[in-house]
Amino acid sequence: MDTTPLSRMPLALAVSGRIRAAILDGTLPVGESLPTEAELAQTFSVGRSTVREALRVLQAQGLVTGADTVSTARPRVTHENTADSAAIALSAAVQVGAVPLRDLVELRVLLEAAALRGVSVVPEAAHVAVERMRQAVATGSAAEFHDADVDFHVALAGAGGNKAFGLVMTVLRDGIASYLMRELDALDDSTATLGVLLAEHEAIVDAIVRGESDYAAKLVENHVRGFYEGRTQ
């Protein structure tokens, strides 16, 4: 881990940057415990409060766990929450206009279509999600339909075994989830629209079951573009 003199940026950010670099280059591998708060303070010649702040920055980035008890515990390097952290950053970027929603929709279309090509088995989680959608349509619950819709698309993104597809889809999902929910809430006739969306999901599943993964990919593309068309300007 780099222990050369720190730059003039805020000390906590400088410390977190050094530790983050060590995590990313493998010097501090996933699962390893970091030095204690006192040891880190001595290593970087900073106060323990600076170390605590730096570790909380890393915890917010999803790179360490246990930073809320650093005075008595040794935080552990983790990747369990990195997707959540990335999703929060992406959602913020959309909200402030740094990334247009239409660009995320385009990325989602490309990713989901690519993930489905060659897939021959529908994940059980996708079947469960479709059943939950049916129940949501019956009760007219846009919120429950939204949750099931999210789980359906994440399950399909990872159906081919590509972990990158599943991870990126999870980030995209969370990044645009609030927008999707607002659109569903604003529907004049939610039952009719949810019924149409359910049928589109069922058609995707049926295509995969029939061994027509390329057609399933096209259906996904039409489904996603169809929902957001005219809403991403």
Side-chain angles (χ1 to χ4, degrees):
M1 185 163 52
D2 186 1
T3 57
T4 56
L6 297 170
S7 67
R8 294 191 178 186
M9 71 172 65
L11 284 177
L13 292 181
V15 171
S16 67
R18 294 286 179 84
I19 299 174
R20 180 178 184 274
I23 292 171
L24 296 182
D25 69 17
T27 301
L28 292 171
V30 171
E32 181 166 322
S33 295
L34 272 65
T36 65
E37 179 185 295
E39 290 169 339
L40 288 170
Q42 183 176 14
T43 295
F44 292 109
S45 299
V46 298
R48 293 175 67 163
S49 61
T50 296
V51 170
R52 283 194 290 272
E53 185 177 350
L55 291 175
R56 288 179 181 125
V57 169
L58 293 168
Q59 187 179 37
Q61 295 173 349
L63 294 174
V64 302
T65 186
D68 53 337
T69 55
V70 293
S71 60
T72 58
R74 290 160 58 91
R76 179 175 55 82
V77 178
T78 181
H79 57 58
E80 295 166 2
N81 298 315
T82 49
D84 291 341
S85 178
I88 291 170
L90 185 59
S91 180
V94 172
Q95 294 298 321
V96 301
V99 178
L101 179 63
R102 64 177 177 274
D103 290 353
L104 291 186
V105 171
E106 185 65 25
L107 176 58
R108 177 178 167 179
V109 167
L110 293 173
L111 183 149
E112 288 202 65
L116 279 185
R117 292 191 175 94
V119 170
S120 59
V121 177
V122 179
E124 180 60 26
H127 284 299
V128 171
V130 169
E131 182 55 37
R132 288 166 53 204
M133 287 182 211
R134 293 191 184 104
Q135 295 173 6
V137 171
T139 60
S141 174
E144 291 179 8
F145 190 95
H146 167 265
D147 289 343
D149 175 273
V150 164
D151 290 344
F152 176 87
H153 287 280
V154 170
L156 288 191
N162 187 311
K163 291 184 178 181
F165 282 156
L167 175 62
V168 175
M169 184 58 201
T170 298
V171 173
L172 284 174
R173 168 204 72 182
D174 292 344
I176 63 178
S178 60
Y179 182 90
L180 174 59
M181 192 63 244
R182 286 199 303 272
E183 289 298 312
L184 291 176
D185 280 340
L187 293 173
D188 292 329
D189 185 355
S190 62
T191 300
T193 301
L194 294 182
V196 171
L197 294 174
L198 169 62
E200 292 175 354
H201 287 90
E202 291 173 330
I204 293 167
V205 169
D206 290 343
I208 297 173
V209 171
R210 293 194 306 268
E212 300 174 356
S213 62
D214 286 347
Y215 182 52
K218 185 62 178 178
L219 289 176
V220 164
E221 180 178 351
N222 292 341
H223 165 69
V224 175
R225 289 190 191 281
F227 182 82
Y228 286 102
E229 187 177 19
R231 296 180 169 94
T232 56
Q233 304 302 318

